[in-house]
PDB file of all heavy atoms in Angstrom:
ATOM      1  N   LYS A 174     134.364  70.356  98.051  1.00 92.00           N
ATOM      2  CA  LYS A 174     134.642  69.044  98.825  1.00 92.00           C
ATOM      3  C   LYS A 174     133.537  67.967  98.386  1.00 92.00           C
ATOM      4  O   LYS A 174     133.866  66.810  98.635  1.00 92.00           O
ATOM      5  CB  LYS A 174     134.253  69.258 100.219  1.00 92.00           C
ATOM      6  CG  LYS A 174     135.232  70.088 100.991  1.00 92.00           C
ATOM      7  CD  LYS A 174     136.324  69.383 101.482  1.00 92.00           C
ATOM      8  CE  LYS A 174     137.569  70.171 101.893  1.00 92.00           C
ATOM      9  NZ  LYS A 174     137.364  71.100 103.088  1.00 92.00           N
ATOM     10  N   THR A 175     132.652  68.273  97.598  1.00 92.00           N
ATOM     11  CA  THR A 175     131.625  67.142  97.235  1.00 92.00           C
ATOM     12  C   THR A 175     132.022  66.423  95.990  1.00 92.00           C
ATOM     13  O   THR A 175     132.822  66.791  95.195  1.00 92.00           O
ATOM     14  CB  THR A 175     130.199  67.723  96.987  1.00 92.00           C
ATOM     15  OG1 THR A 175     129.333  66.710  96.669  1.00 92.00           O
ATOM     16  CG2 THR A 175     130.190  68.604  95.654  1.00 92.00           C
ATOM     17  N   ASN A 176     131.726  65.055  96.014  1.00 91.00           N
ATOM     18  CA  ASN A 176     132.143  64.150  94.977  1.00 91.00           C
ATOM     19  C   ASN A 176     130.959  64.205  93.922  1.00 91.00           C
ATOM     20  O   ASN A 176     131.061  63.416  93.002  1.00 91.00           O
ATOM     21  CB  ASN A 176     132.474  62.693  95.622  1.00 91.00           C
ATOM     22  CG  ASN A 176     133.569  62.760  96.262  1.00 91.00           C
ATOM     23  OD1 ASN A 176     134.597  63.596  96.151  1.00 91.00           O
ATOM     24  ND2 ASN A 176     133.871  61.777  97.269  1.00 91.00           N
ATOM     25  N   LYS A 211     133.705  68.255  90.775  1.00 93.00           N
ATOM     26  CA  LYS A 211     135.138  68.124  90.674  1.00 93.00           C
ATOM     27  C   LYS A 211     135.700  68.539  89.265  1.00 93.00           C
ATOM     28  O   LYS A 211     136.886  68.775  89.031  1.00 93.00           O
ATOM     29  CB  LYS A 211     135.587  66.704  91.038  1.00 93.00           C
ATOM     30  CG  LYS A 211     135.399  66.322  92.470  1.00 93.00           C
ATOM     31  CD  LYS A 211     136.765  66.484  93.075  1.00 93.00           C
ATOM     32  CE  LYS A 211     136.727  65.894  94.520  1.00 93.00           C
ATOM     33  NZ  LYS A 211     135.815  66.471  95.511  1.00 93.00           N
ATOM     34  N   ALA A 262     125.058  65.456 103.550  1.00 39.00           N
ATOM     35  CA  ALA A 262     126.561  65.519 103.270  1.00 39.00           C
ATOM     36  C   ALA A 262     127.175  66.625 104.203  1.00 39.00           C
ATOM     37  O   ALA A 262     126.784  67.741 103.921  1.00 39.00           O
ATOM     38  CB  ALA A 262     126.636  65.818 101.696  1.00 39.00           C
ATOM     39  N   ASN A 263     128.041  66.214 105.072  1.00 37.00           N
ATOM     40  CA  ASN A 263     128.499  67.226 105.956  1.00 37.00           C
ATOM     41  C   ASN A 263     129.989  67.504 105.466  1.00 37.00           C
ATOM     42  O   ASN A 263     130.859  66.656 105.111  1.00 37.00           O
ATOM     43  CB  ASN A 263     128.605  66.782 107.370  1.00 37.00           C
ATOM     44  CG  ASN A 263     127.338  66.749 107.968  1.00 37.00           C
ATOM     45  OD1 ASN A 263     126.508  67.709 107.692  1.00 37.00           O
ATOM     46  ND2 ASN A 263     127.002  65.789 108.860  1.00 37.00           N
TER      47      ASN A 263
HETATM   48  C1  NAG B 401     135.103  61.938  97.950  1.00 58.36           C
HETATM   49  O1  NAG B 401     136.070  60.971  97.363  1.00 58.36           O
HETATM   50  C2  NAG B 401     137.284  60.930  98.168  1.00 58.36           C
HETATM   51  C3  NAG B 401     138.184  59.914  97.289  1.00 58.36           C
HETATM   52  O2  NAG B 401     137.464  59.028  96.597  1.00 58.36           O
HETATM   53  C4  NAG B 401     136.965  60.418  99.620  1.00 58.36           C
HETATM   54  O3  NAG B 401     138.212  60.299 100.306  1.00 58.36           O
HETATM   55  C5  NAG B 401     136.085  61.391 100.186  1.00 58.36           C
HETATM   56  O4  NAG B 401     135.796  60.868 101.514  1.00 58.36           O
HETATM   57  C6  NAG B 401     134.784  61.627  99.321  1.00 58.36           C
HETATM   58  N1  NAG B 401     133.904  62.643 100.045  1.00 58.36           N
HETATM   59  C7  NAG B 401     132.750  62.599 100.237  1.00 58.36           C
HETATM   60  C8  NAG B 401     132.154  63.789 100.815  1.00 58.36           C
HETATM   61  O5  NAG B 401     132.113  61.552  99.996  1.00 58.36           O
END
Side-chain angles (χ1 to χ4, degrees):
K174 289 274 165 66
T175 182
N176 290 337
K211 291 263 192 291
N263 282 328

